[in-house]
């Protein structure tokens, strides 16, 4: 049986908890014997409050269990310390790593990054309290700039894969230059003695189309029409260009135990089969990205083709997942986390009124593994 003292103590504790939940700045001001504005300046660390008085206000606020309302603070300060990232999917390695780069850089500066996995629903911007917006690519940024972005004025930054892109409204971007990276890969393979350099592509859209264009320009200059024999065109869209019915990811989703995820490894496996069945074979293949390259390497080995002894394979991205596969993939690192971090850095500089550049190039470089053989 509970004693009277125990019951009274319990009632008092519950009463105190209830009171603490409703503590306002006015309550703190009355307790501290100061004005409400002084409490606001002390808690927000904005405006002058004598040091001793400020410390006393904060101590009393803590003792009373004062919890500031985040929405009210955001409206008062005109700042939420939140950024919104429009991304199609985060199960693929590249944009997952890009998001982590954004989030970590933002955290250093006291911000958080929210992710929207619906790049077509820009109305979300009007429903979410954020200080700025990040876009996964120039195409998403352009769609925004041409629609809601025309009349909704909030700082924006785009990760971009096309240096020549011009937006409907000025927007800083952090650019991966596909022309330079494709040519750097071909240079690397030629230094290893390869001349018959092919390319494997899952589709002919977006920056896959750009990578194919730059590969074709360079290889036509190197070996002429012979290079066309070394195209591994999984969806038959490069040899016979056609208008894509859709540009989303629905053709590349897989399912595992009920979880749906984005994966281009299957297109790599199809490219491996095409290579085995081809009459004229290259000595090296550049894949559209790391996921495709990993799938291609696995299927080649399954079909009896040795990598890199019989065929050298390279990816593009340099995502962390390449460390999980054997042989370890040789790839062109374009460091998605650094690209994301730079985007967040620029956006926060815009929000805080600091200097920034509109055109920013992201770093790239060969990450050597075990899937390229030196012929010479």
């Amino acid at each position: 049986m509970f004693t009277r003292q125990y019951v009274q103590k319990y009632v008092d504790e519950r009463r105190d908890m209830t009171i603490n939940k409703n503590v306002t700045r006015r309550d703190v001001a009355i307790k501290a014997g100061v004005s409400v504005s002084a409490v606001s300046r002390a808690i927000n660390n904005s405006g002058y409050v004598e040091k001793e008085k400020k410390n006393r206000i904060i101590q009393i606020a803590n003792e009373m269990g004062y919890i500031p309302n985040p929405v009210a603070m955001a409206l008062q300060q005109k700042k939420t310390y939140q950024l919104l990232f429009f991304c199609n999917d985060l199960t693929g390695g590249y944009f997952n790593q890009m998001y982590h780069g954004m989030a970590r850089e933002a955290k250093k500066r006291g911000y958080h990054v929210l992710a929207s996995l619906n790049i077509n629903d820009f109305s979300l911007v009007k429903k979410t309290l954020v200080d700025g917006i990040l876009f996964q690519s120039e195409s998403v940024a352009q769609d925004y700039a041409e629609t809601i972005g025309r009349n909704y004025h909030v700082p924006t930054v785009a990760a971009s894969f096309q240096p020549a892109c011009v937006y409907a409204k000025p927007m800083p971007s952090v650019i991966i230059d596909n022309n330079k990276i494709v040519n750097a890969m071909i240079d690397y393979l030629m230094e290893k003695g390869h001349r018959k350099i092919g390319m494997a592509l899952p589709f002919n859209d977006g920056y896959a189309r750009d990578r194919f264009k730059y590969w074709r320009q360079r290889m036509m200059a190197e070996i002429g029409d012979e290079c066309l024999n070394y195209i591994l065109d999984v969806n038959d869209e490069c040899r016979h260009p056609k208008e894509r019915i859709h540009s989303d990811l629905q053709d590349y989703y897989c399912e595992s135990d009920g979880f749906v995820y984005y994966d281009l490894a299957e297109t790599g496996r199809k490219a491996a089969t095409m290579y085995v069945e081809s009459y004229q074979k290259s000595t090296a293949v550049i894949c559209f990205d790391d996921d495709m390259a990993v799938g291609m390497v696995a299927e080649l080995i399954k079909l009896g083709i040795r990598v890199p002894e019989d065929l050298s394979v390279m990816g593009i991205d340099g995502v962390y997942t390449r460390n999980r596969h054997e042989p370890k993939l040789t790839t062109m690192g374009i460091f998605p986390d650094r690209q994301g971090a730079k985007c967040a850095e620029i956006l926060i500089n815009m929000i805080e009124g600091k200097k920034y550049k509109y055109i920013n190039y992201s770093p790239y470089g060969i990450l050597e593994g075990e899937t390229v053989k030196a012929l010479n």
Side-chain angles (χ1 to χ4, degrees):
M1 180 178 293
F2 296 121
T3 65
R4 179 180 295 178
Q5 291 84 358
Y6 180 89
V7 172
Q8 187 61 50
K9 182 180 179 183
Y10 177 80
V11 170
D12 291 342
E13 288 176 349
R14 298 301 298 175
R15 183 188 63 224
D16 290 342
M17 288 175 65
T18 303
I19 292 173
N20 288 343
K21 285 183 181 178
N22 299 309
V23 173
T24 67
R25 294 187 183 190
R26 180 178 176 78
D27 298 327
V28 176
I30 293 171
K31 178 82 172 179
V34 298
S35 66
V36 176
S37 60
V39 173
S40 296
R41 293 197 301 274
I43 290 173
N44 295 334
N45 196 29
S46 62
Y48 176 76
V49 181
E50 185 181 314
K51 185 176 180 181
E52 186 177 336
K53 182 188 291 187
K54 179 179 179 181
N55 291 338
R56 184 166 173 270
I57 290 171
I58 292 173
Q59 180 182 349
I60 290 173
N62 290 334
E63 289 173 354
M64 295 181 70
Y66 171 73
I67 301 174
N69 184 306
V71 175
M73 287 189 69
L75 292 173
Q76 184 180 31
Q77 299 177 12
K78 297 182 180 180
K79 201 167 187 180
T80 67
Y81 294 95
Q82 294 189 143
L83 313 176
L84 182 61
F85 177 41
F86 276 99
C87 182
N88 222 5
D89 188 277
L90 286 178
T91 58
Y94 191 89
F95 292 115
N96 184 300
Q97 200 162 323
M98 178 189 285
Y99 171 74
H100 278 273
M102 291 175 173
R104 288 167 182 166
E105 180 63 26
K107 185 178 179 181
K108 293 178 186 176
R109 308 271 298 266
Y111 290 75
H112 300 281
V113 181
L114 311 177
S116 168
L117 300 185
N118 187 348
I119 60 173
N120 300 313
D121 185 16
F122 295 128
S123 64
L124 182 65
V125 172
K126 297 180 178 179
K127 306 172 188 175
T128 310
L129 289 173
V130 294
D131 298 328
I133 305 172
L134 299 153
F135 297 107
Q136 71 166 32
S137 68
E138 68 279 358
S139 60
V140 181
Q142 187 66 285
D143 288 344
Y144 171 84
E146 293 175 350
T147 53
I148 286 180
R150 286 187 178 277
N151 301 311
Y152 199 79
H153 304 292
V154 65
T156 54
V157 175
S160 175
F161 301 85
Q162 178 51 263
C165 184
V166 178
Y167 302 102
K169 60 185 298 184
M171 189 182 310
S173 57
V174 181
I175 302 164
I176 299 294
D177 192 329
N178 282 302
N179 189 2
K180 290 183 178 179
I181 68 171
V182 169
N183 277 283
M185 294 175 78
I186 294 173
D187 288 341
Y188 172 78
L189 290 170
M190 287 191 162
E191 288 172 6
K192 297 287 186 182
H194 296 274
R195 288 187 68 257
K196 300 178 179 180
I197 301 170
M199 188 161 201
L201 293 147
F203 44 74
N204 184 28
D205 188 48
Y207 53 94
R209 178 178 58 238
D210 292 335
R211 289 174 183 175
F212 172 64
K213 177 180 74 173
Y214 298 131
W215 169 86
R216 180 170 177 163
Q217 288 175 350
R218 174 66 183 277
M219 292 311 299
M220 286 290 285
E222 296 287 349
I223 60 175
D225 289 345
E226 179 188 347
C227 71
L228 302 180
N229 298 316
Y230 308 134
I231 301 171
L232 301 175
D233 185 4
V234 172
N235 281 336
D236 194 31
E237 293 184 358
C238 300
R239 293 178 184 275
H240 307 96
K242 55 189 176 185
E243 187 71 23
R244 286 181 62 76
I245 298 174
H246 53 76
S247 58
D248 56 23
L249 307 177
Q250 67 186 47
D251 291 340
Y252 310 102
Y253 280 122
C254 302
E255 183 177 332
S256 175
D257 300 323
F259 177 67
V260 178
Y261 61 97
Y262 173 64
D263 187 12
L264 283 180
E266 181 59 31
T267 62
R269 287 187 277 272
K270 291 178 180 178
T273 301
M274 292 180 70
Y275 176 82
V276 171
E277 295 174 352
S278 63
Y279 178 70
Q280 292 182 292
K281 293 178 168 55
S282 60
T283 62
V285 172
I286 295 173
C287 291
F288 163 70
D289 71 355
D290 284 358
D291 287 344
M292 188 176 190
V294 165
M296 184 173 184
V297 169
E299 189 67 13
L300 285 168
I301 293 172
K302 184 178 177 181
L303 295 172
I305 304 297
R306 298 172 302 164
V307 178
E309 292 82 3
D310 300 327
L311 176 66
S312 293
V313 178
M314 288 189 72
I316 302 176
D317 282 348
V319 295
Y320 68 96
T321 51
R322 77 188 190 99
N323 294 297
R324 299 175 178 172
H325 301 278
E326 293 184 4
K328 185 176 180 178
L329 184 67
T330 297
T331 185
M332 170 58 77
I334 53 178
F335 311 108
D337 51 323
R338 298 186 198 178
Q339 186 183 23
K342 189 66 177 178
C343 287
E345 175 194 319
I346 294 168
L347 184 58
I348 294 170
N349 284 345
M350 293 175 71
I351 294 166
E352 296 183 348
K354 298 178 180 177
K355 291 182 179 180
Y356 60 90
K357 294 194 301 182
Y358 272 87
I359 304 298
N360 306 269
Y361 285 92
S362 198
Y364 63 90
I366 300 293
L367 300 177
E368 293 193 314
E370 303 164 336
T371 59
V372 172
K373 175 186 177 181
L375 298 184
N376 50 0

